[in-house]
Structures are given as C-alpha cells and as structure tokens.
Amino acid sequence: MEELEKANLQHFNEFNKAWDQAIQELEENLRKIEQDLVETHFKELQIFDEEVEKIEIPKVKYSKEVLNLRVIFQKMLKAKQLFCYLRKNVTIIDLERQTILKIR
C-alpha cells in the first residue's frame, strides 16, 4: 500500500510540476504577445498622428450672401444694444424727474 501511495504522490508531484511549467510558459507567451501588441499600437498611433498633422484644412471662403447676412446681423446686434441703452437712460431720466418732483 505504501508503494501505491508513493507512486500516487510521485505522479501527483510530476503532474503539478508539469502544470506549473505549462502555466509559466503560457504566461510568458501572453506577456510577449501583450508587449508586441502595445508596441504595434504605439507605432500605429505615431503613424496616425503624423498623417493627421499633414492634413491641411482648407480655408473657408464664404459666399457674398453669407458675408452680407453677417454684416446685417452685426448691425442688428448693435441696434438692440442701443435700444437697451436708450431704455435704461429713459428709466434713469424718469427716476430723476420723479425725484425732482418729490423735492418740490
């Protein structure tokens, strides 16, 4: 019976040793594959960045209509600001007038 246990233990130890070696080889292989993948991605990223830097964005040429509409819009903005300014001044003038009337 002892011989059977020894043989069983030896077989178990050999299996564990083989299993550990197989796992270690697998992990080393995975590390190499991962490192190769990282290097490949880094090189592809560098190439992509270089290609993007080479791209020149063409300057936009707006039509006369668009430029005219912009000018009109700017004038409308100024007119609205002027209207708000005048409205505030009228309010101030009204308050001044009311204050003067109260004093008299």
Side-chain angles (χ1 to χ4, degrees):
M1 188 78 165
E2 268 183 42
E3 290 178 21
L4 184 61
E5 286 178 9
K6 286 182 183 179
N8 203 9
L9 183 62
Q10 184 181 0
H11 182 67
F12 180 73
N13 287 335
E14 287 173 4
F15 173 80
N16 280 342
K17 206 182 244 186
W19 182 262
D20 290 342
Q21 185 178 357
I23 294 295
Q24 185 179 4
E25 289 173 4
L26 181 65
E27 287 175 346
E28 289 173 8
N29 189 26
L30 287 175
R31 275 190 228 106
K32 174 146 179 31
I33 291 171
E34 183 181 19
Q35 182 63 31
D36 291 346
L37 186 62
V38 167
E39 289 174 8
T40 302
H41 285 172
F42 184 74
K43 289 175 185 175
E44 289 176 355
L45 181 62
Q46 283 180 326
I47 292 170
F48 178 77
D49 286 342
E50 290 171 3
E51 290 175 357
V52 167
E53 286 180 11
K54 290 178 184 177
I55 295 174
E56 289 186 29
I57 299 173
K59 189 172 180 177
V60 178
K61 286 192 163 189
Y62 296 107
S63 67
K64 281 186 175 184
E65 183 180 0
V66 171
L67 295 174
N68 287 335
L69 288 173
R70 277 190 178 175
V71 170
I72 291 169
F73 182 69
Q74 291 295 328
K75 288 179 182 178
M76 290 173 71
L77 283 176
K78 287 179 184 177
K80 183 177 180 186
Q81 289 173 352
L82 179 62
F83 177 74
C84 290
Y85 174 75
L86 291 174
R87 187 172 41 173
K88 286 179 186 176
N89 278 347
V90 168
T91 305
I92 292 171
I93 292 171
D94 283 344
L95 288 173
E96 288 175 350
R97 186 181 313 136
Q98 288 173 5
T99 306
I100 291 172
L101 290 174
K102 284 181 183 178
I103 292 174
R104 288 185 184 178

Short mmCIF file of all heavy atoms in Angstrom, two decimals, residues 3-48:
data_model
loop_
_atom_site.label_atom_id
_atom_site.label_comp_id
_atom_site.label_asym_id
_atom_site.label_seq_id
_atom_site.Cartn_x
_atom_site.Cartn_y
_atom_site.Cartn_z
N GLU A 3 3.75 1.60 -1.34
CA GLU A 3 4.30 1.79 -2.69
C GLU A 3 3.27 2.49 -3.58
O GLU A 3 3.61 3.35 -4.39
CB GLU A 3 4.71 0.45 -3.29
CG GLU A 3 5.92 -0.15 -2.65
CD GLU A 3 6.26 -1.50 -3.24
OE1 GLU A 3 5.83 -1.80 -4.37
OE2 GLU A 3 6.95 -2.25 -2.55
N LEU A 4 2.02 2.11 -3.41
CA LEU A 4 0.95 2.73 -4.19
C LEU A 4 0.79 4.20 -3.83
O LEU A 4 0.66 5.05 -4.71
CB LEU A 4 -0.37 1.97 -3.95
CG LEU A 4 -1.56 2.43 -4.77
CD1 LEU A 4 -1.27 2.27 -6.26
CD2 LEU A 4 -2.79 1.64 -4.39
N GLU A 5 0.88 4.51 -2.54
CA GLU A 5 0.79 5.91 -2.11
C GLU A 5 1.99 6.71 -2.62
O GLU A 5 1.84 7.86 -3.06
CB GLU A 5 0.72 5.99 -0.58
CG GLU A 5 -0.62 5.57 -0.03
CD GLU A 5 -0.64 5.61 1.49
OE1 GLU A 5 0.31 6.12 2.12
OE2 GLU A 5 -1.63 5.13 2.05
N LYS A 6 3.18 6.11 -2.53
CA LYS A 6 4.38 6.78 -3.05
C LYS A 6 4.26 7.04 -4.54
O LYS A 6 4.59 8.11 -5.04
CB LYS A 6 5.64 5.96 -2.75
CG LYS A 6 6.08 6.00 -1.33
CD LYS A 6 7.35 5.20 -1.15
CE LYS A 6 7.76 5.17 0.32
NZ LYS A 6 8.98 4.39 0.52
N ALA A 7 3.80 6.04 -5.27
CA ALA A 7 3.64 6.18 -6.72
C ALA A 7 2.59 7.25 -7.04
O ALA A 7 2.77 8.08 -7.95
CB ALA A 7 3.25 4.85 -7.34
N ASN A 8 1.53 7.24 -6.25
CA ASN A 8 0.46 8.23 -6.44
C ASN A 8 0.98 9.64 -6.13
O ASN A 8 0.71 10.59 -6.87
CB ASN A 8 -0.72 7.87 -5.54
CG ASN A 8 -2.02 8.47 -6.05
OD1 ASN A 8 -2.07 9.00 -7.14
ND2 ASN A 8 -3.07 8.36 -5.25
N LEU A 9 1.72 9.77 -5.06
CA LEU A 9 2.31 11.07 -4.68
C LEU A 9 3.31 11.54 -5.73
O LEU A 9 3.33 12.72 -6.10
CB LEU A 9 2.97 10.95 -3.30
CG LEU A 9 3.56 12.23 -2.73
CD1 LEU A 9 2.46 13.28 -2.53
CD2 LEU A 9 4.27 11.94 -1.41
N GLN A 10 4.12 10.60 -6.22
CA GLN A 10 5.10 10.95 -7.27
C GLN A 10 4.37 11.41 -8.53
O GLN A 10 4.74 12.41 -9.15
CB GLN A 10 5.99 9.75 -7.56
CG GLN A 10 7.08 10.06 -8.56
CD GLN A 10 7.96 8.84 -8.87
OE1 GLN A 10 7.74 7.76 -8.33
NE2 GLN A 10 8.92 9.03 -9.74
N HIS A 11 3.34 10.68 -8.90
CA HIS A 11 2.54 11.04 -10.08
C HIS A 11 1.90 12.43 -9.90
O HIS A 11 1.91 13.26 -10.80
CB HIS A 11 1.48 9.97 -10.33
CG HIS A 11 0.65 10.22 -11.54
ND1 HIS A 11 1.17 10.16 -12.82
CD2 HIS A 11 -0.67 10.51 -11.68
CE1 HIS A 11 0.21 10.41 -13.68
NE2 HIS A 11 -0.92 10.65 -13.02
N PHE A 12 1.38 12.67 -8.70
CA PHE A 12 0.77 13.96 -8.37
C PHE A 12 1.79 15.09 -8.46
O PHE A 12 1.52 16.15 -9.03
CB PHE A 12 0.16 13.88 -6.96
CG PHE A 12 -0.49 15.15 -6.50
CD1 PHE A 12 -1.70 15.57 -7.03
CD2 PHE A 12 0.13 15.94 -5.53
CE1 PHE A 12 -2.30 16.74 -6.60
CE2 PHE A 12 -0.46 17.12 -5.11
CZ PHE A 12 -1.67 17.53 -5.64
N ASN A 13 2.99 14.88 -7.91
CA ASN A 13 4.06 15.88 -7.94
C ASN A 13 4.51 16.16 -9.38
O ASN A 13 4.76 17.31 -9.76
CB ASN A 13 5.24 15.47 -7.08
CG ASN A 13 4.93 15.59 -5.60
OD1 ASN A 13 4.06 16.37 -5.21
ND2 ASN A 13 5.61 14.80 -4.78
N GLU A 14 4.64 15.10 -10.17
CA GLU A 14 5.04 15.28 -11.57
C GLU A 14 3.97 16.08 -12.33
O GLU A 14 4.30 16.96 -13.13
CB GLU A 14 5.24 13.91 -12.23
CG GLU A 14 6.49 13.19 -11.78
CD GLU A 14 6.58 11.78 -12.33
OE1 GLU A 14 5.69 11.36 -13.13
OE2 GLU A 14 7.53 11.07 -11.96
N PHE A 15 2.72 15.77 -12.06
CA PHE A 15 1.62 16.50 -12.71
C PHE A 15 1.66 17.98 -12.31
O PHE A 15 1.54 18.87 -13.17
CB PHE A 15 0.27 15.89 -12.33
CG PHE A 15 -0.89 16.70 -12.84
CD1 PHE A 15 -1.30 16.59 -14.16
CD2 PHE A 15 -1.57 17.59 -12.00
CE1 PHE A 15 -2.37 17.34 -14.64
CE2 PHE A 15 -2.63 18.34 -12.48
CZ PHE A 15 -3.03 18.22 -13.80
N ASN A 16 1.83 18.27 -11.02
CA ASN A 16 1.91 19.66 -10.57
C ASN A 16 3.07 20.40 -11.20
O ASN A 16 2.95 21.56 -11.59
CB ASN A 16 2.02 19.71 -9.04
CG ASN A 16 0.68 19.53 -8.36
OD1 ASN A 16 -0.36 19.68 -8.99
ND2 ASN A 16 0.71 19.19 -7.09
N LYS A 17 4.21 19.72 -11.28
CA LYS A 17 5.39 20.33 -11.88
C LYS A 17 5.12 20.65 -13.35
O LYS A 17 5.41 21.76 -13.83
CB LYS A 17 6.58 19.38 -11.75
CG LYS A 17 7.92 20.03 -11.73
CD LYS A 17 9.01 18.97 -11.64
CE LYS A 17 9.76 19.12 -10.34
NZ LYS A 17 10.92 18.22 -10.26
N ALA A 18 4.55 19.69 -14.07
CA ALA A 18 4.24 19.89 -15.49
C ALA A 18 3.20 21.00 -15.65
O ALA A 18 3.30 21.84 -16.56
CB ALA A 18 3.74 18.58 -16.11
N TRP A 19 2.21 21.00 -14.78
CA TRP A 19 1.16 22.04 -14.83
C TRP A 19 1.74 23.42 -14.58
O TRP A 19 1.45 24.37 -15.30
CB TRP A 19 0.07 21.71 -13.81
CG TRP A 19 -1.06 22.70 -13.83
CD1 TRP A 19 -1.25 23.75 -13.01
CD2 TRP A 19 -2.15 22.74 -14.76
NE1 TRP A 19 -2.39 24.43 -13.34
CE2 TRP A 19 -2.97 23.83 -14.42
CE3 TRP A 19 -2.53 21.94 -15.83
CZ2 TRP A 19 -4.12 24.15 -15.12
CZ3 TRP A 19 -3.68 22.26 -16.52
CH2 TRP A 19 -4.46 23.36 -16.17
N ASP A 20 2.56 23.54 -13.54
CA ASP A 20 3.19 24.83 -13.23
C ASP A 20 4.06 25.32 -14.38
O ASP A 20 4.06 26.51 -14.72
CB ASP A 20 4.04 24.72 -11.95
CG ASP A 20 3.19 24.56 -10.70
OD1 ASP A 20 1.97 24.86 -10.77
OD2 ASP A 20 3.74 24.13 -9.66
N GLN A 21 4.80 24.40 -15.00
CA GLN A 21 5.65 24.77 -16.13
C GLN A 21 4.79 25.23 -17.32
O GLN A 21 5.11 26.22 -17.98
CB GLN A 21 6.53 23.59 -16.54
CG GLN A 21 7.53 23.94 -17.62
CD GLN A 21 8.43 22.76 -17.98
OE1 GLN A 21 8.34 21.69 -17.38
NE2 GLN A 21 9.30 22.97 -18.95
N ALA A 22 3.70 24.51 -17.58
CA ALA A 22 2.82 24.88 -18.69
C ALA A 22 2.20 26.26 -18.45
O ALA A 22 2.14 27.10 -19.36
CB ALA A 22 1.72 23.83 -18.87
N ILE A 23 1.78 26.52 -17.21
CA ILE A 23 1.19 27.83 -16.87
C ILE A 23 2.24 28.92 -17.00
O ILE A 23 1.97 30.01 -17.54
CB ILE A 23 0.60 27.80 -15.43
CG1 ILE A 23 -0.58 26.86 -15.34
CG2 ILE A 23 0.23 29.20 -14.97
CD1 ILE A 23 -1.78 27.27 -16.17
N GLN A 24 3.45 28.66 -16.55
CA GLN A 24 4.53 29.66 -16.65
C GLN A 24 4.83 29.98 -18.11
O GLN A 24 4.98 31.15 -18.48
CB GLN A 24 5.78 29.15 -15.93
CG GLN A 24 6.90 30.16 -15.88
CD GLN A 24 8.12 29.64 -15.13
OE1 GLN A 24 8.15 28.48 -14.72
NE2 GLN A 24 9.10 30.50 -14.98
N GLU A 25 4.92 28.96 -18.95
CA GLU A 25 5.17 29.18 -20.38
C GLU A 25 4.03 29.97 -21.01
O GLU A 25 4.26 30.87 -21.83
CB GLU A 25 5.36 27.83 -21.09
CG GLU A 25 6.65 27.13 -20.75
CD GLU A 25 6.74 25.73 -21.34
OE1 GLU A 25 5.80 25.33 -22.08
OE2 GLU A 25 7.73 25.04 -21.06
N LEU A 26 2.82 29.65 -20.63
CA LEU A 26 1.65 30.35 -21.15
C LEU A 26 1.68 31.82 -20.75
O LEU A 26 1.44 32.71 -21.58
CB LEU A 26 0.36 29.69 -20.66
CG LEU A 26 -0.94 30.30 -21.15
CD1 LEU A 26 -1.07 30.13 -22.66
CD2 LEU A 26 -2.12 29.64 -20.46
N GLU A 27 1.99 32.10 -19.47
CA GLU A 27 2.07 33.48 -19.00
C GLU A 27 3.17 34.26 -19.71
O GLU A 27 2.99 35.42 -20.08
CB GLU A 27 2.29 33.51 -17.49
CG GLU A 27 1.05 33.12 -16.71
CD GLU A 27 1.31 33.04 -15.21
OE1 GLU A 27 2.49 33.04 -14.78
OE2 GLU A 27 0.31 32.97 -14.46
N GLU A 28 4.33 33.63 -19.92
CA GLU A 28 5.42 34.28 -20.65
C GLU A 28 5.00 34.59 -22.09
O GLU A 28 5.28 35.68 -22.61
CB GLU A 28 6.67 33.41 -20.64
CG GLU A 28 7.36 33.33 -19.29
CD GLU A 28 8.50 32.31 -19.26
OE1 GLU A 28 8.85 31.78 -20.34
OE2 GLU A 28 9.03 32.06 -18.17
N ASN A 29 4.32 33.63 -22.71
CA ASN A 29 3.84 33.83 -24.08
C ASN A 29 2.83 34.98 -24.14
O ASN A 29 2.88 35.82 -25.03
CB ASN A 29 3.23 32.53 -24.61
CG ASN A 29 2.91 32.61 -26.08
OD1 ASN A 29 3.54 33.38 -26.80
ND2 ASN A 29 1.96 31.82 -26.52
N LEU A 30 1.93 35.02 -23.15
CA LEU A 30 0.94 36.10 -23.11
C LEU A 30 1.60 37.46 -22.90
O LEU A 30 1.20 38.46 -23.51
CB LEU A 30 -0.08 35.84 -22.00
CG LEU A 30 -1.08 34.71 -22.28
CD1 LEU A 30 -1.95 34.46 -21.06
CD2 LEU A 30 -1.94 35.05 -23.47
N ARG A 31 2.62 37.51 -22.02
CA ARG A 31 3.34 38.78 -21.81
C ARG A 31 4.00 39.24 -23.10
O ARG A 31 3.97 40.43 -23.43
CB ARG A 31 4.39 38.61 -20.70
CG ARG A 31 3.82 38.81 -19.33
CD ARG A 31 4.93 38.88 -18.27
NE ARG A 31 4.54 37.99 -17.20
CZ ARG A 31 5.06 36.79 -16.92
NH1 ARG A 31 6.08 36.34 -17.62
NH2 ARG A 31 4.60 36.05 -15.94
N LYS A 32 4.60 38.31 -23.85
CA LYS A 32 5.24 38.68 -25.11
C LYS A 32 4.20 39.18 -26.12
O LYS A 32 4.42 40.19 -26.78
CB LYS A 32 5.99 37.48 -25.69
CG LYS A 32 6.56 37.75 -27.07
CD LYS A 32 7.84 37.06 -27.31
CE LYS A 32 8.43 37.29 -28.66
NZ LYS A 32 8.21 38.52 -29.33
N ILE A 33 3.09 38.49 -26.21
CA ILE A 33 2.03 38.90 -27.13
C ILE A 33 1.51 40.29 -26.74
O ILE A 33 1.31 41.16 -27.60
CB ILE A 33 0.87 37.88 -27.15
CG1 ILE A 33 1.34 36.58 -27.81
CG2 ILE A 33 -0.35 38.44 -27.85
CD1 ILE A 33 0.36 35.44 -27.69
N GLU A 34 1.31 40.51 -25.44
CA GLU A 34 0.82 41.81 -24.98
C GLU A 34 1.82 42.91 -25.29
O GLU A 34 1.46 43.98 -25.76
CB GLU A 34 0.55 41.76 -23.47
CG GLU A 34 -0.02 43.04 -22.92
CD GLU A 34 -0.27 42.97 -21.42
OE1 GLU A 34 0.30 42.10 -20.75
OE2 GLU A 34 -1.05 43.82 -20.95
N GLN A 35 3.11 42.64 -25.05
CA GLN A 35 4.15 43.64 -25.34
C GLN A 35 4.19 43.95 -26.84
O GLN A 35 4.30 45.12 -27.23
CB GLN A 35 5.52 43.14 -24.85
CG GLN A 35 6.64 44.11 -25.06
CD GLN A 35 6.46 45.40 -24.28
OE1 GLN A 35 5.88 45.40 -23.21
NE2 GLN A 35 6.94 46.49 -24.83
N ASP A 36 4.10 42.92 -27.67
CA ASP A 36 4.09 43.13 -29.13
C ASP A 36 2.88 43.96 -29.54
O ASP A 36 2.98 44.85 -30.39
CB ASP A 36 4.06 41.78 -29.87
CG ASP A 36 5.37 41.01 -29.73
OD1 ASP A 36 6.38 41.62 -29.29
OD2 ASP A 36 5.39 39.80 -30.04
N LEU A 37 1.74 43.69 -28.94
CA LEU A 37 0.52 44.43 -29.25
C LEU A 37 0.65 45.90 -28.85
O LEU A 37 0.27 46.80 -29.61
CB LEU A 37 -0.67 43.79 -28.55
CG LEU A 37 -2.05 44.34 -28.88
CD1 LEU A 37 -2.36 44.14 -30.35
CD2 LEU A 37 -3.09 43.65 -28.03
N VAL A 38 1.22 46.15 -27.68
CA VAL A 38 1.41 47.52 -27.22
C VAL A 38 2.35 48.27 -28.16
O VAL A 38 2.09 49.42 -28.55
CB VAL A 38 1.96 47.54 -25.77
CG1 VAL A 38 2.46 48.92 -25.39
CG2 VAL A 38 0.90 47.08 -24.80
N GLU A 39 3.44 47.62 -28.56
CA GLU A 39 4.38 48.24 -29.49
C GLU A 39 3.72 48.53 -30.84
O GLU A 39 3.90 49.61 -31.42
CB GLU A 39 5.61 47.35 -29.68
CG GLU A 39 6.51 47.30 -28.47
CD GLU A 39 7.64 46.29 -28.63
OE1 GLU A 39 7.81 45.74 -29.74
OE2 GLU A 39 8.35 46.06 -27.64
N THR A 40 2.93 47.58 -31.34
CA THR A 40 2.23 47.77 -32.61
C THR A 40 1.25 48.94 -32.52
O THR A 40 1.21 49.79 -33.41
CB THR A 40 1.48 46.48 -33.01
OG1 THR A 40 2.39 45.41 -33.08
CG2 THR A 40 0.77 46.66 -34.33
N HIS A 41 0.49 49.01 -31.45
CA HIS A 41 -0.46 50.11 -31.27
C HIS A 41 0.26 51.45 -31.18
O HIS A 41 -0.20 52.44 -31.76
CB HIS A 41 -1.32 49.89 -30.03
CG HIS A 41 -2.38 48.86 -30.20
ND1 HIS A 41 -3.13 48.39 -29.17
CD2 HIS A 41 -2.81 48.19 -31.30
CE1 HIS A 41 -3.99 47.48 -29.62
NE2 HIS A 41 -3.81 47.35 -30.90
N PHE A 42 1.37 51.47 -30.49
CA PHE A 42 2.13 52.71 -30.35
C PHE A 42 2.64 53.19 -31.72
O PHE A 42 2.53 54.36 -32.06
CB PHE A 42 3.29 52.52 -29.37
CG PHE A 42 4.06 53.76 -29.11
CD1 PHE A 42 3.53 54.77 -28.30
CD2 PHE A 42 5.31 53.96 -29.67
CE1 PHE A 42 4.24 55.94 -28.07
CE2 PHE A 42 6.02 55.11 -29.44
CZ PHE A 42 5.49 56.10 -28.64
N LYS A 43 3.17 52.25 -32.51
CA LYS A 43 3.66 52.61 -33.85
C LYS A 43 2.51 53.10 -34.73
O LYS A 43 2.65 54.09 -35.45
CB LYS A 43 4.35 51.41 -34.50
CG LYS A 43 5.69 51.07 -33.88
CD LYS A 43 6.28 49.82 -34.48
CE LYS A 43 7.56 49.42 -33.77
NZ LYS A 43 8.08 48.13 -34.27
N GLU A 44 1.37 52.41 -34.68
CA GLU A 44 0.22 52.83 -35.48
C GLU A 44 -0.28 54.20 -35.05
O GLU A 44 -0.67 55.02 -35.89
CB GLU A 44 -0.91 51.80 -35.36
CG GLU A 44 -0.63 50.50 -36.07
CD GLU A 44 -1.71 49.46 -35.87
OE1 GLU A 44 -2.67 49.70 -35.10
OE2 GLU A 44 -1.59 48.39 -36.48
N LEU A 45 -0.26 54.46 -33.76
CA LEU A 45 -0.67 55.76 -33.25
C LEU A 45 0.27 56.86 -33.74
O LEU A 45 -0.18 57.94 -34.13
CB LEU A 45 -0.73 55.76 -31.72
CG LEU A 45 -1.17 57.05 -31.06
CD1 LEU A 45 -2.60 57.42 -31.47
CD2 LEU A 45 -1.07 56.93 -29.55
N GLN A 46 1.56 56.60 -33.73
CA GLN A 46 2.53 57.58 -34.23
C GLN A 46 2.29 57.86 -35.72
O GLN A 46 2.30 59.02 -36.14
CB GLN A 46 3.96 57.08 -34.02
CG GLN A 46 4.44 57.21 -32.61
CD GLN A 46 5.87 56.71 -32.45
OE1 GLN A 46 6.29 55.77 -33.12
NE2 GLN A 46 6.60 57.35 -31.55
N ILE A 47 2.07 56.82 -36.49
CA ILE A 47 1.82 57.00 -37.92
C ILE A 47 0.54 57.80 -38.13
O ILE A 47 0.49 58.72 -38.96
CB ILE A 47 1.73 55.62 -38.63
CG1 ILE A 47 3.11 54.95 -38.63
CG2 ILE A 47 1.18 55.76 -40.03
CD1 ILE A 47 3.09 53.49 -39.08
N PHE A 48 -0.50 57.48 -37.38
CA PHE A 48 -1.77 58.21 -37.50
C PHE A 48 -1.59 59.67 -37.14
O PHE A 48 -2.09 60.56 -37.84
CB PHE A 48 -2.82 57.56 -36.59
CG PHE A 48 -4.14 58.26 -36.60
CD1 PHE A 48 -5.01 58.10 -37.67
CD2 PHE A 48 -4.51 59.07 -35.55
CE1 PHE A 48 -6.24 58.75 -37.69
CE2 PHE A 48 -5.72 59.73 -35.56
CZ PHE A 48 -6.59 59.56 -36.63
#
